[in-house]
Amino acid sequence: MEQQDLLKRAADLADRCERSSIVTSTGFLTPAEQYALRQWADRQPGLTVLFHGGGEGCERQCAFFLPYWLPPEDYQPDEYIRAVRSEAHFGEPGHRDYMGAALALGLKREWLGDFVVDGATAYIFCLPSVEPVLTEELTRAGRVTVRTVSCCLEDVPAREKKTRRVSFTVKSARLDAVISGMFGMSRTSAADQIRLGAATLNYAVCDRVDAPVKPGDVISLRGKGKGSLTGAGGRSRKDRLFLEAEILL
């Protein structure tokens, strides 16, 4: 979804939530869409937005606009998000097989959250309206027959997030210097890759080598991986800034 359309939709949902005092929500959003919506929501006084994908660490999440009477700690995700479990017979379909099978049923991507595939078993987060379609019609994934049933959100195994921590120093926290430290490459090579459009900063392509980076920012470099700047503080005797980052494995 284009960012302008996303934010217009968010404004409509926020207005309906306020007028009707009910929970309103988007479909499942990409990380880039979530970032844009969070930035917008932070500028809206009195607006409470909660992001949830059905389980811990979900990449795709829905944005929920909460009315005045519902504090975030009382939000129950199983009222608004469902999960199904597919068991494969005589095979182990992959993520792409399940995704293709679900979309072939006429479902839109934003109606489906993360796909968690573990051997012959797959779990799919989805909107409540999609759950019956998956349980009744998702009978094959790739060339393999599968049986799909509803399950509780708590039954979906949490995916282990594997990261590698790195520490480095920079003269200033600009994009080329941070990428150089995070991915172990020369600053010149980092700058070249940025200018070629191979780097993203907070999920948007950034071709500015001197773009400022702060803790919490997410950075990716094509062919190298993705990570986030997790900390900054203190300077060396040569007046270089100490930074820490996490790289996804």
Side-chain angles (χ1 to χ4, degrees), residues 20-62:
S20 304
S21 296
I22 61 172
V23 176
T24 58
S25 66
T26 66
F28 288 94
L29 304 173
T30 66
E33 291 169 336
Q34 294 170 47
Y35 181 82
L37 204 155
R38 288 178 194 273
Q39 295 292 101
W40 172 84
D42 287 343
R43 299 191 296 269
Q44 312 305 312
L47 182 64
T48 302
V49 184
L50 184 149
F51 291 82
H52 208 292
E56 291 295 327
C58 285
E59 182 175 83
R60 288 186 175 255
Q61 300 183 9
C62 301

Side-chain angles (χ1 to χ4, degrees), residues 2-249:
E2 294 292 334
Q3 183 170 314
Q4 185 176 358
D5 294 335
L6 171 66
L7 299 184
K8 181 179 179 181
R9 173 64 173 158
D12 290 341
L13 290 169
D15 181 63
R16 184 154 63 92
C17 173
E18 182 178 7
R19 286 187 290 102
S20 304
S21 296
I22 61 172
V23 176
T24 58
S25 66
T26 66
F28 288 94
L29 304 173
T30 66
E33 291 169 336
Q34 294 170 47
Y35 181 82
L37 204 155
R38 288 178 194 273
Q39 295 292 101
W40 172 84
D42 287 343
R43 299 191 296 269
Q44 312 305 312
L47 182 64
T48 302
V49 184
L50 184 149
F51 291 82
H52 208 292
E56 291 295 327
C58 285
E59 182 175 83
R60 288 186 175 255
Q61 300 183 9
C62 301
F64 295 91
F65 298 83
L66 305 185
Y68 69 92
W69 53 266
L70 181 61
E73 59 269 21
D74 290 341
Y75 162 84
Q76 298 296 322
D78 55 4
E79 294 184 22
Y80 309 99
I81 299 176
R82 298 285 194 272
V84 300
R85 182 181 69 249
S86 282
E87 297 285 351
H89 302 286
F90 310 110
E92 295 185 358
H95 182 280
R96 182 177 297 180
D97 296 315
Y98 282 103
M99 175 75 73
L103 296 179
L105 298 177
L107 303 177
K108 294 183 178 180
R109 185 63 185 92
E110 59 265 30
W111 299 346
L112 303 165
D114 283 10
F115 288 64
V116 182
V117 181
D118 182 14
T121 304
Y123 299 87
I124 306 172
F125 293 107
C126 62
L127 299 182
S129 58
V130 170
E131 182 184 17
V133 179
L134 292 174
T135 56
E136 294 171 14
E137 300 185 35
L138 184 57
T139 58
R140 292 187 68 83
R143 298 181 178 182
V144 181
T145 300
V146 300
R147 178 175 179 268
T148 306
V149 298
S150 299
C151 69
C152 297
L153 296 182
E154 294 78 10
D155 293 338
V156 182
R159 286 184 293 182
E160 183 180 359
K161 182 181 179 182
K162 297 182 179 180
T163 61
R164 174 172 59 89
R165 291 181 177 273
V166 295
S167 300
F168 52 95
T169 63
V170 296
K171 187 173 182 180
S172 63
R174 44 186 274 168
L175 187 58
D176 58 348
V178 174
I179 284 181
S180 172
M182 285 179 63
F183 300 109
M185 58 196 303
S186 72
R187 187 166 169 180
T188 299
S189 296
D192 290 342
Q193 291 300 304
I194 292 168
R195 294 190 184 97
L196 289 172
T200 66
L201 176 61
N202 293 321
Y203 308 103
V205 173
C206 181
D207 58 7
R208 285 183 50 203
V209 297
D210 62 346
V213 182
K214 61 185 183 301
D217 285 348
V218 178
I219 299 166
S220 69
L221 182 66
R222 188 183 308 138
K224 291 291 186 178
K226 180 171 71 173
S228 61
L229 194 65
T230 56
R235 286 189 173 273
S236 69
R237 292 182 179 180
K238 294 184 178 181
D239 198 33
R240 291 178 65 85
L241 178 65
F242 289 103
L243 298 179
E244 292 184 348
E246 281 190 352
I247 311 296
L248 288 173
L249 299 178

